[in-house]
């Protein structure tokens, strides 16, 4: 197994942890589809043994999405748990940070006093979080605060399966190639149809300069290959004519989101969902305009893709 910064973080934590904790007899139940597992019987508001944390870490690698049920944790407890996997990344839209907790991005369609309290159209397009950064996200943790009576589901697509099942001709066309990723690709389009995309300052624009990433990336901990392109952030294939690039990316996007690659998460109160951005894309299925939805998101920094 390949070494990664998250493993170094875990090893460092193991070496310095001296707090006595009690074992929690939690269960890990795979969903039986293309990805995902439920973790029940665990209370993340309590100190977590190193051995239990290692079980969680392994489940995350094995299943790509883990769902912690009924987590009544504070924002600080979410931050502390997230940080055990690595340094946290701060989203460029500082307007939607939780007050006093810049590590938490508020994802919400709620508007109070004429202003949105969070990012209401997050996940409108298939994407992997922060793929537009030189060190994209290892994973994201989303904690349900307020759920709608209907809608609000999140879909996840297994990009390892997308690579494993990719026709040979497409494999030959993309292996070894790079693609550009940009946060601003669809930003102007989103601004036209929603109140959740404020004008960016020059300082914010400077934080999200386009980067190039491998189209096929290797997971730094498991060694598995995965497609690493998305309709939201991937703009073009480097060194390829624009029309050919557009056609090839469209084929990759279409193949990635075949039903057999997808798990649909139907949220339950106080769910904490932790997904691996190195293995997956995700999509917000949408919430009716008259329904309230509020979530808290933390994002763990990953490695430079290779």
């Amino acid at each position: 197994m390949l070494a990664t910064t998250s493993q170094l973080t875990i090893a460092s934590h193991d070496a310095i942890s001296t707090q006595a904790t009690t074992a929690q007899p939690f269960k890990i139940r795979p969903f039986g589809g293309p990805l995902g597992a439920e973790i029940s019987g665990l209370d993340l508001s309590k100190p977590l043994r190193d051995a239990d944390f290692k079980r969680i870490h392994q489940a995350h690698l094995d299943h790509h999405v883990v769902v912690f049920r009924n987590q009544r944790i504070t924002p600080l407890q979410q931050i502390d748990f997230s940080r055990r996997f690595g340094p946290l990344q701060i989203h460029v839209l500082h307007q939607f940070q939780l007050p006093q907790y810049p590590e938490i991005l508020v994802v919400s369609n709620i508007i109070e006093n004429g202003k949105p309290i969070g990012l209401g159209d997050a996940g409108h397009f298939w994407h992997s979080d922060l793929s537009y950064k030189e060190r994209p996200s290892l994973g994201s943790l989303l904690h349900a605060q307020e759920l709608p009576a209907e809608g609000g589901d999140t879909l996840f697509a297994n990009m390892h399966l997308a690579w494993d099942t990719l026709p040979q001709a497409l494999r030959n066309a993309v292996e070894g190639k790079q693609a550009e990723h940009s946060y601003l690709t669809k930003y102007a389009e989103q601004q036209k149809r929603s109140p959740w995309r404020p004008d960016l300052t020059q300082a914010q624009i400077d934080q999200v300069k386009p980067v190039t990433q491998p189209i096929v990336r290797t997971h730094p901990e498991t060694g598995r290959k995965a497609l690493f392109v998305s309709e939201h952030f991937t703009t073009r294939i480097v060194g390829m004519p624009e029309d050919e690039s557009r056609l090839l990316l469209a084929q990759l996007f279409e193949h990635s989101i075949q039903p057999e690659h997808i798990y649909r998460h139907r949220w339950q109160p106080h769910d904490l969902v932790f997904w691996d951005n190195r293995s997956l894309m995700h999509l917000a299925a949408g919430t009716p305009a008259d329904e309230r939805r509020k979530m808290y998101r933390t994002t763990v920094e990953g490695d430079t893709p290779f």
Side-chain angles (χ1 to χ4, degrees), residues 169-244:
L170 288 179
R171 284 187 174 219
N172 294 341
V174 301
E175 196 159 22
K177 288 187 169 59
Q178 301 271 320
E180 180 185 79
H181 292 237
S182 173
Y183 177 71
L184 301 178
T185 306
K186 296 183 181 295
Y187 199 87
E189 175 186 339
Q190 291 173 298
Q191 279 189 308
K192 292 177 182 178
R193 58 175 174 75
S194 83
W196 297 292
R197 296 285 165 169
D199 290 336
L200 300 176
T201 66
Q202 187 59 50
Q204 287 175 303
I205 293 172
D206 290 343
Q207 291 180 43
V208 290
K209 294 178 180 178
V211 300
T212 57
Q213 309 284 18
I215 294 176
V216 184
R217 71 174 297 179
T218 302
H219 195 291
E221 297 187 73
T222 68
R224 291 190 66 185
K225 289 185 175 181
L227 282 179
F228 194 55
V229 293
S230 73
E231 63 171 341
H232 194 164
F233 298 132
T234 308
T235 60
R236 63 186 178 89
I237 298 174
V238 177
M240 184 174 288
E242 184 177 345
D243 56 343
E244 294 181 24

Side-chain angles (χ1 to χ4, degrees), residues 157-164 214-219 223-229 256 277-280 306:
N158 188 327
M159 299 299 276
H160 294 303
L161 286 181
W163 169 251
D164 291 344
I215 294 176
V216 184
R217 71 174 297 179
T218 302
H219 195 291
R224 291 190 66 185
K225 289 185 175 181
L227 282 179
F228 194 55
V229 293
S256 298
N277 283 303
R278 304 162 298 184
S279 301
L280 307 175
F306 63 94

Side-chain angles (χ1 to χ4, degrees), residues 25-210:
F26 62 92
K27 296 180 180 179
I28 301 172
R29 182 183 67 84
F31 288 139
L35 62 129
E38 175 187 78
I39 296 180
S40 58
L42 182 68
D43 183 354
L44 292 176
S45 70
K46 297 178 180 178
L48 191 64
R49 292 193 318 158
D50 293 332
D52 290 339
F53 178 76
K54 288 179 180 178
R55 279 187 69 199
I56 293 167
H57 176 240
Q58 189 60 52
H60 187 248
L61 294 177
D62 291 343
H63 304 292
H64 317 309
V65 170
V66 287
V67 180
F68 303 90
R69 298 294 190 189
N70 195 32
Q71 295 302 315
R72 299 175 184 271
I73 56 175
T74 66
L76 183 56
Q77 287 168 336
Q78 179 177 346
I79 291 168
D80 287 345
F81 176 65
S82 303
R83 194 170 276 142
R84 290 188 70 167
F85 292 91
L88 301 189
Q89 294 172 299
I90 309 300
H91 197 276
V92 65
L93 291 182
H94 58 75
Q95 294 93 333
F96 299 134
Q97 292 171 357
L98 186 65
Q100 301 180 3
Y101 298 104
E103 300 90 345
I104 288 183
L105 175 72
V106 179
V107 177
S108 178
N109 67 344
I110 298 170
I111 295 178
E112 294 180 348
N113 300 318
K115 294 183 178 181
I117 68 167
L119 184 55
D121 65 348
H124 182 78
F125 301 100
W126 283 102
H127 69 287
S128 173
D129 286 333
L130 278 64
S131 70
Y132 51 84
K133 304 288 283 187
E134 290 185 0
R135 294 172 66 90
S137 167
L138 176 157
S140 301
L141 297 93
L142 196 61
H143 188 213
Q145 305 296 310
E146 188 171 349
L147 295 176
E150 61 177 306
D153 296 352
T154 304
L155 281 66
F156 297 93
N158 188 327
M159 299 299 276
H160 294 303
L161 286 181
W163 169 251
D164 291 344
T165 59
L166 193 67
Q168 190 62 48
L170 288 179
R171 284 187 174 219
N172 294 341
V174 301
E175 196 159 22
K177 288 187 169 59
Q178 301 271 320
E180 180 185 79
H181 292 237
S182 173
Y183 177 71
L184 301 178
T185 306
K186 296 183 181 295
Y187 199 87
E189 175 186 339
Q190 291 173 298
Q191 279 189 308
K192 292 177 182 178
R193 58 175 174 75
S194 83
W196 297 292
R197 296 285 165 169
D199 290 336
L200 300 176
T201 66
Q202 187 59 50
Q204 287 175 303
I205 293 172
D206 290 343
Q207 291 180 43
V208 290
K209 294 178 180 178

